[in-house]
Amino acid sequence: QFEVSGQGATMPEQKVTYEDLTKHKTKDDCWMAIHGKVYDVTKFLAEHPGGEEVMLETAGMDASDAFEDIGHSNGARDMLAKYLIGPLDGAPPQKEKKASSSSGGAAGGGGIAKVLVPVFVMAVIAFLVQKFM
């Protein structure tokens, strides 16, 4: 539907629906949303220092978390401007977002358990050593 091909910096911005974004997820047609803006990064895939495979994992969807998890430099952030298509119109389906945040909460609980279990085991060992030695 859109024929922008990474020239968003020189063309007027176009709103992109999440449905349209999901149609662009191949090596030859790769769009992603980062912080509410959609970018056509097809021409950048071969240049990406982390490899094109990393980018293709988040092609056609909101890549904000993946982008931030890597800790991109200011130069990388500035580079986005030349691939801008326009703002993402609407948000990704809430189901996906809730599922990832609730599993993130479970992972946080697992982190606490990883600390508490060894502390508890050490307390039991200390008690047994004191009682039987």
Side-chain angles (χ1 to χ4, degrees):
Q1 183 176 350
F2 296 99
E3 299 296 327
V4 179
S5 298
Q7 299 172 10
T10 59
M11 297 180 71
E13 291 183 5
Q14 300 178 36
K15 284 186 179 180
V16 179
T17 65
Y18 191 76
E19 182 181 343
D20 285 333
L21 174 65
T22 61
K23 296 175 185 175
H24 302 273
K25 55 186 176 186
T26 67
K27 183 178 177 177
D28 298 320
D29 184 18
C30 183
W31 292 12
M32 59 182 59
I34 300 173
H35 300 301
K37 295 182 180 180
V38 178
Y39 302 90
D40 180 349
V41 294
T42 309
K43 293 180 181 179
F44 181 70
L45 289 176
E47 300 172 33
H48 187 254
E52 64 186 33
E53 299 83 20
V54 175
M55 292 185 72
L56 288 171
E57 288 175 10
T58 56
M61 62 174 99
D62 187 339
S64 300
D65 289 340
F67 185 82
E68 293 303 332
D69 287 348
I70 299 301
H72 285 88
S73 66
N74 287 336
R77 293 170 190 280
D78 293 342
M79 192 181 291
L80 284 173
K82 72 178 181 179
Y83 300 105
L84 179 64
I85 296 171
L88 181 62
D89 188 22
Q94 287 298 317
K95 254 186 187 176
E96 293 177 23
K97 207 158 196 151
K98 285 182 183 174
S100 66
S101 66
S102 67
S103 67
I112 292 172
K114 289 179 184 178
V115 172
L116 292 181
V117 170
V119 169
F120 179 73
V121 170
M122 292 301 292
V124 169
I125 291 171
F127 173 78
L128 293 174
V129 166
Q130 184 180 17
K131 181 158 180 114
F132 294 108
M133 300 215 79

